[in-house]
Amino acid sequence: MRVRALHDWPRSPAEAEAIQDRLRAAVRVTGELSGVRAVAGLDVAYANDGSDDLVAAVVVLDADTLEMVDSAVVAGTSTFPYVPGLFAFRELPALVDALERLTTTPDLLVVDGQGVAHPRRFGLASHLGVLTEVPSIGVAKTPLGRYEPPGPRRGDWTPLLDGAEVVGRALRTQDGVRPVFVSVGHLVDLDTATDQVLRLAPRYRLPETTRQADHLGRAALVR
């Protein structure tokens, strides 16, 4: 699939912040989606030896059956330092490489990470959405912001807040399990993002997009 080259890879935190500040103006937090047939899940697995080695995995699932129809795996080494708010730049080069190897162009990206729930409102899901011009959603395992626990049933949610601003939702995807944290990436509204995550998580806490990308990446990492 096509990924736009909107910037060079930054060499410093200041360059990375400038890229986020420039591109976040392109983010659109509206869009209800229709005709979603193929959904991509993106995840990065890291080596357990303390190195910066990683594997980026992208799976494309049939939106109705949740069966895999395409995938790509890229091994690499992160060259960008760990800096709060700039974590996306550790993963973006390998994820972009993996996306470009797909033979299927997905209708939606579901990213293991944040969208606009980010200090500069431009997390990994937003960044990838802008680069690909494909609607994107961030589904994180941990929150960026504060929230009240949602009700105990599948589909219950509460706002995820950064100060007074709603940046996402704490969403219960299964009865009695810990919530996931959903935020808009690009070209989709929060109600639609919530509905899509529930659709993609019929049995487990995490959506199948994330689960299958995680399994694929970890399997490649131990080879």
Side-chain angles (χ1 to χ4, degrees), residues 153-177:
R153 304 301 299 273
R154 170 179 163 86
D156 290 341
W157 60 267
T158 54
L160 180 65
L161 302 170
D162 185 3
E165 184 178 355
V166 175
V167 294
R169 288 176 179 170
L171 174 66
R172 196 86 67 183
T173 54
Q174 302 298 326
D175 291 355
V177 304

PDB file of all heavy atoms in Angstrom, residues 153-177:
ATOM      1  N   ARG A 153     -20.066  -3.959  32.193  1.00  0.00           N
ATOM      2  CA  ARG A 153     -20.538  -4.725  31.048  1.00  0.00           C
ATOM      3  C   ARG A 153     -19.852  -4.320  29.754  1.00  0.00           C
ATOM      4  O   ARG A 153     -19.405  -3.192  29.584  1.00  0.00           O
ATOM      5  CB  ARG A 153     -22.053  -4.540  30.882  1.00  0.00           C
ATOM      6  CG  ARG A 153     -22.866  -4.910  32.121  1.00  0.00           C
ATOM      7  CD  ARG A 153     -22.651  -6.359  32.532  1.00  0.00           C
ATOM      8  NE  ARG A 153     -23.054  -7.292  31.502  1.00  0.00           N
ATOM      9  CZ  ARG A 153     -24.300  -7.754  31.374  1.00  0.00           C
ATOM     10  NH1 ARG A 153     -25.256  -7.361  32.207  1.00  0.00           N
ATOM     11  NH2 ARG A 153     -24.595  -8.621  30.418  1.00  0.00           N
ATOM     12  N   ARG A 154     -19.781  -5.264  28.828  1.00  0.00           N
ATOM     13  CA  ARG A 154     -19.249  -4.995  27.493  1.00  0.00           C
ATOM     14  C   ARG A 154     -19.962  -3.788  26.878  1.00  0.00           C
ATOM     15  O   ARG A 154     -21.190  -3.727  26.872  1.00  0.00           O
ATOM     16  CB  ARG A 154     -19.425  -6.230  26.615  1.00  0.00           C
ATOM     17  CG  ARG A 154     -19.122  -6.015  25.125  1.00  0.00           C
ATOM     18  CD  ARG A 154     -19.309  -7.316  24.353  1.00  0.00           C
ATOM     19  NE  ARG A 154     -19.431  -7.089  22.918  1.00  0.00           N
ATOM     20  CZ  ARG A 154     -18.403  -6.982  22.073  1.00  0.00           C
ATOM     21  NH1 ARG A 154     -17.178  -7.090  22.522  1.00  0.00           N
ATOM     22  NH2 ARG A 154     -18.600  -6.770  20.777  1.00  0.00           N
ATOM     23  N   GLY A 155     -19.182  -2.865  26.366  1.00  0.00           N
ATOM     24  CA  GLY A 155     -19.743  -1.673  25.747  1.00  0.00           C
ATOM     25  C   GLY A 155     -19.830  -0.475  26.669  1.00  0.00           C
ATOM     26  O   GLY A 155     -20.028   0.650  26.200  1.00  0.00           O
ATOM     27  N   ASP A 156     -19.668  -0.682  27.982  1.00  0.00           N
ATOM     28  CA  ASP A 156     -19.654   0.453  28.903  1.00  0.00           C
ATOM     29  C   ASP A 156     -18.377   1.272  28.687  1.00  0.00           C
ATOM     30  O   ASP A 156     -17.302   0.711  28.456  1.00  0.00           O
ATOM     31  CB  ASP A 156     -19.707  -0.019  30.354  1.00  0.00           C
ATOM     32  CG  ASP A 156     -21.056  -0.604  30.743  1.00  0.00           C
ATOM     33  OD1 ASP A 156     -22.046  -0.330  30.033  1.00  0.00           O
ATOM     34  OD2 ASP A 156     -21.115  -1.332  31.752  1.00  0.00           O
ATOM     35  N   TRP A 157     -18.499   2.590  28.808  1.00  0.00           N
ATOM     36  CA  TRP A 157     -17.323   3.440  28.623  1.00  0.00           C
ATOM     37  C   TRP A 157     -17.462   4.720  29.438  1.00  0.00           C
ATOM     38  O   TRP A 157     -18.559   5.097  29.834  1.00  0.00           O
ATOM     39  CB  TRP A 157     -17.087   3.782  27.153  1.00  0.00           C
ATOM     40  CG  TRP A 157     -18.219   4.531  26.482  1.00  0.00           C
ATOM     41  CD1 TRP A 157     -19.254   3.998  25.770  1.00  0.00           C
ATOM     42  CD2 TRP A 157     -18.425   5.953  26.475  1.00  0.00           C
ATOM     43  NE1 TRP A 157     -20.098   4.982  25.318  1.00  0.00           N
ATOM     44  CE2 TRP A 157     -19.607   6.200  25.736  1.00  0.00           C
ATOM     45  CE3 TRP A 157     -17.736   7.039  27.012  1.00  0.00           C
ATOM     46  CZ2 TRP A 157     -20.101   7.480  25.512  1.00  0.00           C
ATOM     47  CZ3 TRP A 157     -18.231   8.324  26.809  1.00  0.00           C
ATOM     48  CH2 TRP A 157     -19.395   8.531  26.071  1.00  0.00           C
ATOM     49  N   THR A 158     -16.317   5.340  29.675  1.00  0.00           N
ATOM     50  CA  THR A 158     -16.263   6.653  30.304  1.00  0.00           C
ATOM     51  C   THR A 158     -15.254   7.505  29.546  1.00  0.00           C
ATOM     52  O   THR A 158     -14.356   6.978  28.873  1.00  0.00           O
ATOM     53  CB  THR A 158     -15.827   6.563  31.783  1.00  0.00           C
ATOM     54  OG1 THR A 158     -14.594   5.846  31.876  1.00  0.00           O
ATOM     55  CG2 THR A 158     -16.899   5.862  32.625  1.00  0.00           C
ATOM     56  N   PRO A 159     -15.373   8.830  29.644  1.00  0.00           N
ATOM     57  CA  PRO A 159     -14.439   9.691  28.906  1.00  0.00           C
ATOM     58  C   PRO A 159     -13.016   9.574  29.444  1.00  0.00           C
ATOM     59  O   PRO A 159     -12.799   9.439  30.651  1.00  0.00           O
ATOM     60  CB  PRO A 159     -14.989  11.100  29.135  1.00  0.00           C
ATOM     61  CG  PRO A 159     -16.389  10.917  29.606  1.00  0.00           C
ATOM     62  CD  PRO A 159     -16.426   9.608  30.325  1.00  0.00           C
ATOM     63  N   LEU A 160     -12.063   9.649  28.543  1.00  0.00           N
ATOM     64  CA  LEU A 160     -10.650   9.771  28.882  1.00  0.00           C
ATOM     65  C   LEU A 160     -10.301  11.241  28.738  1.00  0.00           C
ATOM     66  O   LEU A 160     -10.500  11.831  27.662  1.00  0.00           O
ATOM     67  CB  LEU A 160      -9.804   8.914  27.936  1.00  0.00           C
ATOM     68  CG  LEU A 160      -8.294   8.916  28.142  1.00  0.00           C
ATOM     69  CD1 LEU A 160      -7.916   8.309  29.491  1.00  0.00           C
ATOM     70  CD2 LEU A 160      -7.601   8.156  27.009  1.00  0.00           C
ATOM     71  N   LEU A 161      -9.807  11.849  29.806  1.00  0.00           N
ATOM     72  CA  LEU A 161      -9.626  13.294  29.855  1.00  0.00           C
ATOM     73  C   LEU A 161      -8.161  13.668  29.997  1.00  0.00           C
ATOM     74  O   LEU A 161      -7.408  13.033  30.748  1.00  0.00           O
ATOM     75  CB  LEU A 161     -10.399  13.889  31.036  1.00  0.00           C
ATOM     76  CG  LEU A 161     -11.897  13.628  31.073  1.00  0.00           C
ATOM     77  CD1 LEU A 161     -12.480  14.063  32.408  1.00  0.00           C
ATOM     78  CD2 LEU A 161     -12.589  14.361  29.923  1.00  0.00           C
ATOM     79  N   ASP A 162      -7.766  14.709  29.284  1.00  0.00           N
ATOM     80  CA  ASP A 162      -6.481  15.365  29.502  1.00  0.00           C
ATOM     81  C   ASP A 162      -6.818  16.794  29.904  1.00  0.00           C
ATOM     82  O   ASP A 162      -7.212  17.606  29.062  1.00  0.00           O
ATOM     83  CB  ASP A 162      -5.637  15.338  28.235  1.00  0.00           C
ATOM     84  CG  ASP A 162      -4.242  15.911  28.456  1.00  0.00           C
ATOM     85  OD1 ASP A 162      -3.929  16.280  29.604  1.00  0.00           O
ATOM     86  OD2 ASP A 162      -3.473  16.010  27.484  1.00  0.00           O
ATOM     87  N   GLY A 163      -6.725  17.096  31.201  1.00  0.00           N
ATOM     88  CA  GLY A 163      -7.274  18.340  31.705  1.00  0.00           C
ATOM     89  C   GLY A 163      -8.782  18.297  31.573  1.00  0.00           C
ATOM     90  O   GLY A 163      -9.431  17.342  32.010  1.00  0.00           O
ATOM     91  N   ALA A 164      -9.355  19.289  30.924  1.00  0.00           N
ATOM     92  CA  ALA A 164     -10.803  19.312  30.713  1.00  0.00           C
ATOM     93  C   ALA A 164     -11.202  18.769  29.345  1.00  0.00           C
ATOM     94  O   ALA A 164     -12.393  18.687  29.031  1.00  0.00           O
ATOM     95  CB  ALA A 164     -11.321  20.747  30.872  1.00  0.00           C
ATOM     96  N   GLU A 165     -10.216  18.378  28.526  1.00  0.00           N
ATOM     97  CA  GLU A 165     -10.491  17.955  27.154  1.00  0.00           C
ATOM     98  C   GLU A 165     -10.688  16.444  27.068  1.00  0.00           C
ATOM     99  O   GLU A 165      -9.899  15.673  27.625  1.00  0.00           O
ATOM    100  CB  GLU A 165      -9.337  18.368  26.242  1.00  0.00           C
ATOM    101  CG  GLU A 165      -9.574  18.049  24.782  1.00  0.00           C
ATOM    102  CD  GLU A 165      -8.433  18.515  23.897  1.00  0.00           C
ATOM    103  OE1 GLU A 165      -7.506  19.168  24.405  1.00  0.00           O
ATOM    104  OE2 GLU A 165      -8.466  18.195  22.682  1.00  0.00           O
ATOM    105  N   VAL A 166     -11.744  16.037  26.367  1.00  0.00           N
ATOM    106  CA  VAL A 166     -11.975  14.615  26.105  1.00  0.00           C
ATOM    107  C   VAL A 166     -11.069  14.192  24.952  1.00  0.00           C
ATOM    108  O   VAL A 166     -11.183  14.716  23.834  1.00  0.00           O
ATOM    109  CB  VAL A 166     -13.449  14.344  25.748  1.00  0.00           C
ATOM    110  CG1 VAL A 166     -13.635  12.875  25.368  1.00  0.00           C
ATOM    111  CG2 VAL A 166     -14.360  14.702  26.915  1.00  0.00           C
ATOM    112  N   VAL A 167     -10.184  13.241  25.214  1.00  0.00           N
ATOM    113  CA  VAL A 167      -9.244  12.793  24.189  1.00  0.00           C
ATOM    114  C   VAL A 167      -9.478  11.336  23.785  1.00  0.00           C
ATOM    115  O   VAL A 167      -8.792  10.823  22.901  1.00  0.00           O
ATOM    116  CB  VAL A 167      -7.782  12.972  24.650  1.00  0.00           C
ATOM    117  CG1 VAL A 167      -7.449  14.452  24.797  1.00  0.00           C
ATOM    118  CG2 VAL A 167      -7.513  12.227  25.954  1.00  0.00           C
ATOM    119  N   GLY A 168     -10.435  10.669  24.428  1.00  0.00           N
ATOM    120  CA  GLY A 168     -10.712   9.280  24.098  1.00  0.00           C
ATOM    121  C   GLY A 168     -11.705   8.687  25.065  1.00  0.00           C
ATOM    122  O   GLY A 168     -12.440   9.410  25.755  1.00  0.00           O
ATOM    123  N   ARG A 169     -11.729   7.369  25.143  1.00  0.00           N
ATOM    124  CA  ARG A 169     -12.641   6.653  26.021  1.00  0.00           C
ATOM    125  C   ARG A 169     -11.952   5.453  26.656  1.00  0.00           C
ATOM    126  O   ARG A 169     -11.145   4.781  26.005  1.00  0.00           O
ATOM    127  CB  ARG A 169     -13.875   6.154  25.253  1.00  0.00           C
ATOM    128  CG  ARG A 169     -14.824   7.250  24.853  1.00  0.00           C
ATOM    129  CD  ARG A 169     -15.983   6.739  24.024  1.00  0.00           C
ATOM    130  NE  ARG A 169     -16.876   7.848  23.684  1.00  0.00           N
ATOM    131  CZ  ARG A 169     -17.876   7.768  22.819  1.00  0.00           C
ATOM    132  NH1 ARG A 169     -18.116   6.604  22.191  1.00  0.00           N
ATOM    133  NH2 ARG A 169     -18.636   8.817  22.579  1.00  0.00           N
ATOM    134  N   ALA A 170     -12.311   5.211  27.904  1.00  0.00           N
ATOM    135  CA  ALA A 170     -12.001   3.936  28.550  1.00  0.00           C
ATOM    136  C   ALA A 170     -13.154   3.006  28.234  1.00  0.00           C
ATOM    137  O   ALA A 170     -14.289   3.257  28.661  1.00  0.00           O
ATOM    138  CB  ALA A 170     -11.837   4.125  30.049  1.00  0.00           C
ATOM    139  N   LEU A 171     -12.895   1.957  27.486  1.00  0.00           N
ATOM    140  CA  LEU A 171     -13.949   1.104  26.940  1.00  0.00           C
ATOM    141  C   LEU A 171     -13.833  -0.320  27.465  1.00  0.00           C
ATOM    142  O   LEU A 171     -12.769  -0.936  27.368  1.00  0.00           O
ATOM    143  CB  LEU A 171     -13.855   1.091  25.404  1.00  0.00           C
ATOM    144  CG  LEU A 171     -14.789   0.144  24.662  1.00  0.00           C
ATOM    145  CD1 LEU A 171     -16.252   0.559  24.846  1.00  0.00           C
ATOM    146  CD2 LEU A 171     -14.416   0.091  23.181  1.00  0.00           C
ATOM    147  N   ARG A 172     -14.939  -0.827  27.991  1.00  0.00           N
ATOM    148  CA  ARG A 172     -14.997  -2.223  28.439  1.00  0.00           C
ATOM    149  C   ARG A 172     -15.398  -3.083  27.236  1.00  0.00           C
ATOM    150  O   ARG A 172     -16.511  -2.992  26.742  1.00  0.00           O
ATOM    151  CB  ARG A 172     -16.028  -2.359  29.556  1.00  0.00           C
ATOM    152  CG  ARG A 172     -15.931  -3.628  30.369  1.00  0.00           C
ATOM    153  CD  ARG A 172     -14.952  -3.500  31.500  1.00  0.00           C
ATOM    154  NE  ARG A 172     -15.369  -2.554  32.531  1.00  0.00           N
ATOM    155  CZ  ARG A 172     -14.648  -2.233  33.591  1.00  0.00           C
ATOM    156  NH1 ARG A 172     -13.461  -2.792  33.766  1.00  0.00           N
ATOM    157  NH2 ARG A 172     -15.084  -1.353  34.475  1.00  0.00           N
ATOM    158  N   THR A 173     -14.471  -3.905  26.769  1.00  0.00           N
ATOM    159  CA  THR A 173     -14.753  -4.716  25.580  1.00  0.00           C
ATOM    160  C   THR A 173     -15.352  -6.080  25.916  1.00  0.00           C
ATOM    161  O   THR A 173     -15.924  -6.737  25.041  1.00  0.00           O
ATOM    162  CB  THR A 173     -13.479  -4.927  24.756  1.00  0.00           C
ATOM    163  OG1 THR A 173     -12.463  -5.463  25.607  1.00  0.00           O
ATOM    164  CG2 THR A 173     -13.007  -3.616  24.152  1.00  0.00           C
ATOM    165  N   GLN A 174     -15.193  -6.529  27.165  1.00  0.00           N
ATOM    166  CA  GLN A 174     -15.794  -7.777  27.629  1.00  0.00           C
ATOM    167  C   GLN A 174     -16.270  -7.571  29.068  1.00  0.00           C
ATOM    168  O   GLN A 174     -15.683  -6.770  29.809  1.00  0.00           O
ATOM    169  CB  GLN A 174     -14.792  -8.945  27.588  1.00  0.00           C
ATOM    170  CG  GLN A 174     -14.196  -9.225  26.227  1.00  0.00           C
ATOM    171  CD  GLN A 174     -15.207  -9.632  25.190  1.00  0.00           C
ATOM    172  OE1 GLN A 174     -16.204 -10.294  25.507  1.00  0.00           O
ATOM    173  NE2 GLN A 174     -14.974  -9.266  23.938  1.00  0.00           N
ATOM    174  N   ASP A 175     -17.295  -8.311  29.462  1.00  0.00           N
ATOM    175  CA  ASP A 175     -17.803  -8.176  30.825  1.00  0.00           C
ATOM    176  C   ASP A 175     -16.691  -8.422  31.841  1.00  0.00           C
ATOM    177  O   ASP A 175     -15.997  -9.449  31.793  1.00  0.00           O
ATOM    178  CB  ASP A 175     -18.927  -9.184  31.082  1.00  0.00           C
ATOM    179  CG  ASP A 175     -20.194  -8.885  30.298  1.00  0.00           C
ATOM    180  OD1 ASP A 175     -20.237  -7.839  29.610  1.00  0.00           O
ATOM    181  OD2 ASP A 175     -21.141  -9.692  30.374  1.00  0.00           O
ATOM    182  N   GLY A 176     -16.504  -7.468  32.735  1.00  0.00           N
ATOM    183  CA  GLY A 176     -15.620  -7.674  33.873  1.00  0.00           C
ATOM    184  C   GLY A 176     -14.132  -7.618  33.605  1.00  0.00           C
ATOM    185  O   GLY A 176     -13.344  -7.829  34.520  1.00  0.00           O
ATOM    186  N   VAL A 177     -13.716  -7.323  32.365  1.00  0.00           N
ATOM    187  CA  VAL A 177     -12.282  -7.239  32.088  1.00  0.00           C
ATOM    188  C   VAL A 177     -11.828  -5.777  32.168  1.00  0.00           C
ATOM    189  O   VAL A 177     -12.636  -4.857  32.145  1.00  0.00           O
ATOM    190  CB  VAL A 177     -11.919  -7.816  30.705  1.00  0.00           C
ATOM    191  CG1 VAL A 177     -12.395  -9.244  30.575  1.00  0.00           C
ATOM    192  CG2 VAL A 177     -12.481  -6.948  29.587  1.00  0.00           C
TER     193      VAL A 177
END
